[in-house]
Amino acid sequence: MRHHLLRTLAVLFLCCALPASHADDQPGHVKGNGVILRANHATYYESLAKLQDSTPLAIVSRQGDWVEVRLPVQIKGWIQKDRVDDSFTVLDAICPIYTAPGIYFTAFYTAAQGEKLTPEGSTDGDWLCVYAPANATGWIHADYVGEGAPTPPPAPSPSAAVAETPSMDASAALESATLAARTLAIRQEQERQEQEMQQEQERLDTLRLQADELKEETARHNSEVEALQAEAQRLEALRDEAREKARLAAAEREAALLQEQREQEELLARQREAEEKARLVEADSARWEAEAKEMAEKLAAAKEEARRREQTAREEAAAIAAEQELAEQRAHAALEQVRLAEAQRADSEARQQELAEQLAALQKEVQMAEEQAELLRLERERIEATSREESARIAQARREAERLEAEKAAQTARIEATRLEAEQLTAEQAAQAAKVEEARREQERLQEELASADARVELLRSQAQKREQERAELEQLLKEAEESEIGDEELAQKIAGLKAKAEQRQAEQAALRARAELEALQRQEGNPGAVDDSSISASPEQATSVEAPPAETATARKPLASYQGTIYPLPHPVQGATHALWMVKDGRRVAVCYLFSRRLALDDWRGVEVVVTGQETRPEGLSYPMLQVRGIIRQ
């Protein structure tokens, strides 16, 4: 009777909690305890609530094996802070409400612009918790939904009450805690990656501002140099103008001197003519004397005028000379300014060169920062892929939890069968333990074989080194033979013997390599988890590093893929990949594929332009293919 009263009170509470039904809604109720109300019509969507038996529902629609019902008012959702104002009124045209704080969770409702939401009070970073609006709906499997109003359940008999198994509850609680911890770790890692991306973006913005400041300073220096050059040109023009004035003054002075000389010559000619007339005409001496006196006066006046003109010309010449000296002083000062301007220009060019070098260094840092940002983007893709994998695991765990809940619902009828199954499982576990021990011994045997193969590989390396030494000796002997130009028969026999020995060493090494690869392939066919690389990494100074399969097994392998680019290491391994291949496309670096190899030393080829070949796979969740490197060729 007490259980019946408690169940009736729970049904009344849920009835009060449900929103008012619309006119098109149909009445219904829940069939069974712990029925999961989901965000969408599939078992891998998130759970919004667990409903008990006979809970009244408002049925909205049906789709296949699922029924859409209106959510109770106590259901909570999460929205982004920047989509609502202080009064929790929606600002954007579309505002999704998610089942948890994160865009990778399911959105079970979309609020319109202007719709007012009810806050719950909880926050998580940039997310706010709100109560589901009245129009929000969820989905329940049709097997757990009944039509019409619920009927009061009969009073439970003592024989029908069965205790729930604590082990199932403990397992479900532990799995839920593990999933929550994984979700929190993924969210923290994503926030850390976003912070690193933001810091790198701020650093790039700072570098760009510094580059802009350097460009502005360079432009200012260039304008100052141009102003100094213009001033130098103006002073050069003033100096040329002063020189032209001095030249014109000198020409005028020469013209005045010539004019004075001509006038003096003319006066002297007249004087000689007057004297000649005086000598010829003595009778008219008085007239001639008067005339001579007049001519003497005119001559004196002319001399005075010539002296005066000469004085004026001298004064003008002195003034012109002074002006020329002043012009020369100005020209000298202008030349001094020009020299100073040229020195400043040289200094400015040096500073400009230094600024250009700093700008180049900044551009290099910007490029490195962009490469780092690209690596961070790849890391973020890896985190997103990991998040998707974790989401898939969460969905799988939720499906498993649903299965456990379904089994728990039918547990009352299968307790004895579960005990028998537990005994059978114990026996199977004992058999499985024996199989595990046998597999462990087999793995130890394979590890011993792998150690033996490694010893043979070391032997191959030592033989290769000996062959290189013999080849070097042979080359030295050939060089000495060419320099000495003597046909010594003994030397030729020694060279032939070394050649035969080198060919024999090479044949032995090829046979050992083929035998080692054949054994590695046999181990790989017998154990899929064994190492499948069978070559030794060559140094970057060598031209190529290739893993050559034996002829009888090469046709059975998958065709090799080939890519060209530059090898760089990854900050963190991505599903076993330790490096990535990059290429330059449209002026920027883009990723080509992920690389990994258990035998080739990929770090030795860091930053080298190469062509890589190997087995290609395309793992789910990665944007680029995965290449197991078989060979490397330097470009």
Side-chain angles (χ1 to χ4, degrees):
M1 186 66 182
R2 182 179 179 183
H3 289 288
H4 179 69
L5 179 59
L6 291 175
R7 184 170 295 181
T8 304
L9 290 175
V11 170
L12 291 175
F13 175 75
L14 291 174
C15 289
C16 296
L18 287 172
S21 301
H22 291 209
D24 297 336
D25 295 347
Q26 299 178 0
H29 62 278
V30 177
K31 296 192 303 181
N33 290 321
V35 176
I36 298 177
L37 176 64
R38 297 191 177 277
N40 213 328
H41 49 79
T43 56
Y44 51 81
Y45 287 104
E46 292 87 342
S47 172
L48 296 175
K50 289 185 180 180
L51 304 179
Q52 301 302 321
D53 189 21
S54 302
T55 301
L57 300 173
I59 300 174
V60 178
S61 64
R62 295 177 181 270
Q63 184 171 347
D65 295 336
W66 293 84
V67 178
E68 183 181 12
V69 298
R70 298 207 176 274
L71 297 180
V73 294
Q74 75 272 13
I75 300 300
K76 303 171 186 178
W78 294 83
I79 60 173
Q80 295 175 331
K81 291 182 179 179
D82 55 357
R83 293 183 180 270
V84 294
D85 57 10
D86 296 337
S87 61
F88 281 82
T89 302
V90 178
L91 301 175
D92 296 343
I94 297 176
C95 178
I97 299 179
Y98 297 90
T99 57
I103 58 175
Y104 41 82
F105 292 100
T106 304
F108 63 88
Y109 181 75
T110 302
Q113 187 176 10
E115 185 174 355
K116 188 174 180 61
L117 303 176
T118 303
E120 186 270 342
S122 301
T123 59
D124 189 348
D126 295 333
W127 294 81
L128 299 172
C129 185
V130 297
Y131 289 104
N135 295 329
T137 60
W139 294 82
I140 301 176
H141 198 276
D143 294 341
Y144 303 102
V145 177
E147 297 182 355
T151 57
S157 61
S159 61
V162 180
E164 297 180 351
T165 57
S167 61
M168 302 293 288
D169 292 341
S171 176
L174 180 59
E175 188 172 2
S176 300
T178 304
L179 293 175
R182 287 182 180 177
T183 305
L184 180 60
I186 292 172
R187 188 180 299 117
Q188 291 175 352
E189 181 66 18
Q190 186 175 7
E191 291 176 356
R192 184 184 67 79
Q193 293 290 335
E194 290 178 355
Q195 291 177 358
E196 290 181 357
M197 291 286 289
Q198 185 176 3
Q199 292 175 358
E200 191 65 25
Q201 187 64 36
E202 291 176 356
R203 182 173 174 270
L204 288 175
D205 294 339
T206 304
L207 291 175
R208 290 192 179 97
L209 290 176
Q210 291 178 358
D212 294 338
E213 291 176 358
L214 288 174
K215 289 181 180 178
E216 292 177 358
E217 187 175 358
T218 303
R220 183 171 58 80
H221 283 293
N222 290 334
S223 62
E224 291 178 358
V225 170
E226 291 176 357
L228 291 174
Q229 289 176 351
E231 182 67 19
Q233 291 176 359
R234 187 181 68 82
L235 293 175
E236 287 284 344
L238 290 176
R239 185 181 66 179
D240 294 340
E241 184 179 358
R243 288 178 178 176
E244 184 66 22
K245 286 183 178 180
R247 188 183 62 80
L248 292 176
E252 289 180 358
R253 180 181 178 184
E254 290 178 358
L257 291 175
L258 290 174
Q259 180 67 24
E260 181 183 2
Q261 185 178 0
R262 284 195 299 271
E263 288 179 355
Q264 286 180 357
E265 290 176 354
E266 183 180 356
L267 289 174
L268 290 174
R270 288 182 180 180
Q271 183 180 3
R272 286 193 299 269
E273 185 181 357
E275 290 176 353
E276 185 68 23
K277 285 182 180 181
R279 286 192 300 269
L280 293 175
V281 184
E282 292 178 357
D284 204 359
S285 60
R287 185 173 60 85
W288 286 109
E289 287 178 1
E291 203 172 290
K293 184 179 180 180
E294 184 179 358
M295 292 299 295
E297 290 176 358
K298 287 182 179 180
L299 181 59
K303 287 182 179 181
E304 183 65 25
E305 182 66 20
R307 187 188 63 77
R308 187 179 60 77
R309 287 184 179 180
E310 184 179 2
Q311 183 67 27
T312 303
R314 287 176 180 175
E315 291 177 357
E316 289 180 356
I320 290 172
E323 187 175 354
Q324 183 178 2
E325 184 179 359
L326 180 60
E328 288 179 354
Q329 291 177 357
R330 291 181 178 177
H332 182 71
L335 289 174
E336 188 66 25
Q337 291 183 357
V338 168
R339 285 194 294 271
L340 291 176
E342 289 177 352
Q344 291 180 358
R345 180 181 180 183
D347 188 15
S348 177
E349 288 178 353
R351 292 183 62 190
Q352 186 175 2
Q353 181 67 23
E354 183 179 357
L355 291 174
E357 293 176 357
Q358 293 179 0
L359 182 60
L362 288 175
Q363 290 177 352
K364 186 176 181 181
E365 290 183 2
V366 168
Q367 184 178 2
M368 292 177 63
E370 289 177 353
E371 292 178 356
Q372 187 67 20
E374 183 69 16
L375 292 176
L376 289 174
R377 185 184 65 78
L378 292 175
E379 183 68 13
R380 184 173 182 180
E381 289 181 358
R382 184 186 70 79
I383 294 298
E384 291 177 354
T386 306
S387 177
R388 288 193 293 270
E389 292 177 358
E390 290 296 331
S391 299
R393 291 194 186 98
I394 291 172
Q396 180 67 24
R398 286 174 178 167
R399 290 194 292 270
E400 186 68 18
E402 291 176 3
R403 186 182 65 80
L404 291 174
E405 289 177 359
E407 291 179 357
K408 182 179 176 181
Q411 190 72 21
T412 56
R414 295 187 300 164
I415 292 178
E416 185 64 23
T418 302
R419 184 179 62 78
L420 297 175
E421 289 177 359
E423 294 177 355
Q424 184 179 0
L425 285 174
T426 303
E428 290 179 357
Q429 286 177 357
Q432 188 68 21
K435 290 181 180 179
V436 169
E437 182 65 24
E438 183 180 357
R440 185 182 63 78
R441 290 194 296 270
E442 180 67 19
Q443 186 175 6
E444 290 177 354
R445 183 184 64 80
L446 291 174
Q447 287 178 355
E448 292 176 356
E449 291 180 358
L450 182 60
S452 177
D454 290 339
R456 287 195 293 272
V457 168
E458 290 296 330
L459 179 60
L460 287 174
R461 285 183 178 176
S462 62
Q463 291 179 355
Q465 291 176 358
K466 291 180 180 178
R467 186 168 59 86
E468 289 296 330
Q469 292 176 359
E470 293 173 355
R471 182 182 299 174
E473 293 176 357
L474 179 61
E475 292 177 354
Q476 182 66 26
L477 290 174
L478 289 173
K479 185 176 180 182
E480 292 176 357
E482 291 175 357
E483 291 177 354
S484 60
E485 295 181 355
I486 59 174
D488 192 353
E489 184 178 358
E490 182 180 358
L491 181 60
Q493 291 178 356
K494 188 175 181 181
I495 290 172
L498 288 174
K499 284 184 178 179
K501 192 175 181 180
E503 291 176 358
Q504 184 180 1
R505 291 283 188 184
Q506 187 174 3
E508 291 176 357
Q509 186 180 6
L512 288 174
R513 186 186 297 111
R515 186 160 57 253
E517 290 185 357
L518 181 59
E519 291 177 358
L521 288 174
Q522 290 175 353
R523 289 197 306 273
Q524 182 178 358
E525 292 176 357
N527 184 13
V531 178
D532 56 355
D533 286 336
S534 58
S535 68
I536 303 171
S537 174
S539 63
E541 289 76 10
Q542 296 176 349
T544 60
S545 176
V546 181
E547 298 179 11
E552 62 272 17
T553 60
T555 57
R557 291 189 177 182
K558 184 179 179 182
L560 298 179
S562 179
Y563 292 100
Q564 179 179 354
T566 305
I567 297 178
Y568 289 102
L570 293 174
H572 304 285
V574 179
Q575 295 190 11
T578 59
H579 293 70
L581 191 67
W582 297 76
M583 66 178 297
V584 179
K585 184 177 181 182
D586 298 333
R588 60 188 297 269
R589 291 185 180 273
V590 296
V592 178
C593 63
Y594 294 102
L595 305 177
F596 74 96
S597 178
R598 296 183 180 87
R599 291 295 181 86
L600 295 177
L602 299 180
D603 283 335
D604 294 341
W605 299 88
R606 177 176 181 178
V608 181
E609 185 77 15
V610 297
V611 174
V612 295
T613 57
Q615 297 291 338
E616 179 182 1
T617 58
R618 294 187 176 272
E620 184 178 357
L622 293 183
S623 302
Y624 304 100
M626 184 83 70
L627 190 70
Q628 182 178 357
V629 181
R630 296 283 189 180
I632 303 176
I633 301 176
R634 179 191 291 271
Q635 283 295 102

